Amino acid sequence: MSHAKIGRFSKKQIFELPDGTHRLEPHLYVRVRGNGRYRNYFFRYLDPKGRVCDLALGSASKKPLSEVKQFAFLLKTSLQFSGKASALMEAKQHPVLFKDYARRVIEILASVRLWKNPAQKQSWSSSISTYAFPVIGEKFIDEIDRKDILKILRPIWINKTMTASRVRGRLEKIFAYAINENLFIGNNPASWKGNLDLFLPPVNKCNSTQHFKSLSFTELKAIIPKLQQESSIGAKALLFGVLTATRTVEFTQAHWREISWKEKVWLCPPSRRKDGKEFPFRVPLSQVISLLKEIRKESKGEFIFSVDGKTPIRRETPRKFLRTALNQACTMHGMRSTFRDWCAENDIDNEAAEKSLMHTTGTQTTLAYQRSDLLDRRRVVMQLWADALFDDEKNKIHKADLL
C-alpha cells in the first residue's frame, strides 16, 4: 500500500497518482486501480471495537474533491464529538464490485419473487454476465454512471432490441437495490424515462415485431414421418412437444412419475407452469401413449427425455434437432403457433384451443366461476390434431390409443 504525503491536492494531481491507496488528509483516502482507470475516495476510521472500516465516498471522476472533503469533515467532526460517525456511518461498507453485487441481487430476487423455474434465474445471470460484466463487472457500484449503461446497450439496441430492453430493465432493478442500500448515490443510471430515453430510440421504433418462426401445417405434417424414423431422444422429445403443443420448459424436464397411465394424463407440475397456478396442469396423452411406451422401454431413470438417465435434455435440444437434422429454421414456440392456426382454420372451440396451450381465458369475473380445465374437450382437440398430422394409413395413430 502506498501513501502520498498529506497536504493539498488538486484534482489534476489526484488523477496523476499511480495505482495504490493514497492518503489525502487524515481519514480521507483515494484508491487507484486498473492502471489508473478507477479512482475512488473513501473515509477510513476505527469502529467502537477498534476495527478498521472504510466508508465509500464515490468516484473521483464523478465527485468534486471539495464536496468529498466537506463530507469527510462532517464525518471527522462526528467522530470527535461522539466517538462514532452517527447515522452517516450506518452506510459503512467496503467498496462493492458490480459483478459481485449483481450476483447477490439475483439471489435476492430469486427468493423474493419465489422463482420456481431455475431457467428464470439462469436467464438473469446469463444476460447480465454476457452484456454487462464485460463493461462494468470490474467497476465499483458507485463508479458507474449513465455513460457506462449506454456502452452496454448501444451495441445491441438496434439489432437485439428485445434482449437490450430486457438487460436494461434488469440493470435498473439491480441499481434500485444498490440505491436502497446506500451503495449508490443519485438517480438510477439504468432508468428509462427522463434518462436513457434521451439517448436511445424507443423499442417499438427499432424493429417491427418479430414473431417466433413457425411452420405451416403442411410443412409440419411433412416432417412427421422423418421424426418417426429418428431414434434419438431429441427427435422423440420434439414429436412429443408437437403432439401435446406444450412448451419446451414443460416437457423437456418431464418425469415418469408425472404420467398417469390409467387416466392417460400428464400432470405438469406448478413449478413449470408459466401462468403461475399452484396446481398441476393436466395434459391429455391419448395421442402419445404409444410414443411414451416406446420411450419407456429404453428409459434409464426418472426423466422421460434423458440421455444418461440422470439429467433431462436441455431446453434447446428440440430446436437444435429441428435446425440440424431436419434443416428447419423454426422454434418449438412456433410449433405451438402452428397448432393454434390449425385450430382456428378448423373451427376448433376457442376456449378449448386456448386451454390446450395452457393459456388463461376470460375475465377475472368469468374465471371466478369457470374453473374447469376442460380436460375432456381438450382430449378430443388433441386427438383431432394428432389425426390430422397422421392422416394416412401408414402413420395414423392406432385406435387402441383412443379413449
Side-chain angles (χ1 to χ4, degrees):
M1 180 184 296
S2 63
H3 292 281
K5 182 180 178 181
I6 300 175
R8 293 181 177 275
F9 281 85
S10 66
K11 182 175 181 180
K12 180 180 178 181
Q13 290 173 319
I14 287 176
F15 276 87
E16 291 174 347
L17 293 172
D19 280 14
T21 300
H22 305 273
R23 190 181 185 191
L24 306 182
E25 59 183 48
H27 297 288
L28 180 59
Y29 293 76
V30 63
R31 181 180 288 111
V32 184
R33 60 191 189 87
N35 291 324
R37 286 186 298 167
Y38 309 125
R39 299 170 187 270
N40 297 276
Y41 298 117
F42 65 92
F43 184 85
R44 178 162 288 175
Y45 62 95
L46 297 178
D47 70 5
K49 294 184 179 180
R51 295 173 298 191
V52 176
C53 298
D54 293 343
L55 173 62
L57 300 182
S59 169
S61 61
K62 295 168 59 176
K63 295 284 186 179
L65 181 57
S66 58
E67 180 181 322
V68 172
K69 286 188 173 183
Q70 287 177 4
F71 190 62
F73 176 77
L74 290 174
L75 289 170
K76 284 186 285 186
T77 302
S78 181
L79 281 171
Q80 291 170 356
F81 282 93
S82 64
K84 57 183 180 179
S86 187
L88 293 173
M89 286 169 54
E90 292 180 4
K92 67 179 183 292
Q93 46 229 320
H94 294 286
V96 181
L97 292 176
F98 175 82
K99 65 178 183 181
D100 297 328
Y101 188 70
R103 290 172 180 144
R104 182 158 71 87
V105 169
I106 291 173
E107 292 295 333
I108 293 172
L109 285 169
S111 174
V112 171
R113 294 185 176 181
L114 300 177
W115 287 339
K116 297 177 181 179
N117 187 350
Q120 291 175 285
K121 181 178 174 182
Q122 175 59 31
S123 176
W124 268 72
S125 299
S126 177
S127 63
I128 295 300
S129 62
T130 299
Y131 298 105
F133 282 3
V135 180
I136 60 175
E138 296 297 328
K139 279 193 167 188
F140 291 126
I141 284 286
D142 64 339
E143 291 179 331
I144 300 167
D145 57 20
R146 182 176 59 212
K147 292 180 181 178
D148 295 312
I149 304 302
L150 288 172
K151 285 181 183 178
I152 297 170
L153 300 178
R154 275 178 171 150
I156 58 174
W157 194 258
I158 300 299
N159 297 325
K160 298 181 179 180
T161 307
M162 296 312 298
T163 297
S165 179
R166 190 177 299 115
V167 169
R168 185 209 64 77
R170 290 171 178 177
L171 288 172
E172 183 177 14
K173 180 64 69 175
I174 291 170
F175 279 98
Y177 273 90
I179 291 170
N180 184 265
E181 295 181 16
N182 294 317
L183 284 169
F184 188 90
I185 306 300
N187 296 325
N188 194 314
S191 63
W192 178 251
K193 191 173 182 181
N195 183 43
L196 295 178
D197 65 342
L198 302 176
F199 302 91
L200 295 170
V203 171
N204 60 3
K205 294 290 183 68
C206 292
N207 283 314
S208 57
T209 302
Q210 295 184 354
H211 298 286
F212 291 99
K213 292 183 178 180
S214 62
L215 300 177
S216 67
F217 175 76
T218 302
E219 291 172 327
L220 175 56
K221 184 175 178 180
I223 69 172
I224 294 298
K226 298 178 183 178
L227 281 176
Q228 289 185 298
Q229 293 170 8
E230 292 285 343
S231 60
S232 70
I233 197 66
K236 289 179 170 59
L238 174 57
L239 184 58
F240 181 90
V242 169
L243 294 174
T244 57
T246 48
R247 301 177 178 89
T248 53
V249 69
E250 294 159 358
F251 71 79
T252 54
Q253 300 177 45
H255 293 67
W256 286 113
R257 65 172 180 269
E258 297 168 2
I259 304 298
S260 172
W261 297 97
K262 181 180 180 181
E263 301 295 330
K264 295 182 179 179
V265 164
W266 163 36
L267 299 173
C268 182
S271 60
R272 299 203 301 276
R273 291 193 64 158
K274 186 178 180 180
D275 58 8
K277 298 289 179 61
E278 297 180 354
F279 48 85
F281 181 75
R282 298 188 297 175
V283 180
L285 295 177
S286 299
Q287 73 282 15
V288 291
I289 286 295
S290 58
L291 173 63
L292 286 174
K293 288 180 178 178
E294 180 184 341
I295 298 172
R296 186 65 166 167
K297 293 177 183 179
E298 306 291 331
S299 180
K300 301 177 182 178
E302 60 178 321
F303 294 103
I304 297 176
F305 305 109
S306 175
V307 175
D308 58 8
K310 299 177 182 179
T311 57
I313 61 174
R314 295 175 62 85
R315 289 177 58 183
E316 297 82 8
T317 300
R319 178 179 58 81
K320 287 183 177 179
F321 184 86
L322 271 169
R323 187 177 69 250
T324 57
L326 301 179
N327 195 30
Q328 298 291 337
C330 57
T331 65
M332 285 307 299
H333 196 286
M335 297 295 189
R336 284 163 52 85
S337 297
T338 304
F339 166 75
R340 191 63 184 87
D341 290 342
W342 173 84
C343 288
E345 293 168 357
N346 289 274
D347 298 322
I348 299 296
D349 177 73
N350 180 71
E351 196 167 25
E354 288 297 300
K355 286 281 189 180
S356 296
L357 292 168
M358 211 187 297
H359 288 168
T360 300
T361 61
T363 64
Q364 291 298 319
T365 301
T366 57
L367 288 172
Y369 292 94
Q370 210 278 66
R371 300 181 182 180
S372 171
D373 64 0
L374 307 180
L375 177 63
D376 291 337
R377 286 164 62 182
R378 289 189 293 112
R379 195 185 295 276
V380 173
V381 172
M382 299 314 296
Q383 187 60 57
L384 289 172
W385 167 243
D387 288 345
L389 290 171
F390 297 89
D391 70 348
D392 61 271
E393 291 301 320
K394 181 179 179 180
N395 293 319
K396 198 171 184 74
I397 287 182
H398 300 299
K399 292 298 182 185
D401 287 340
L402 297 174
L403 278 174

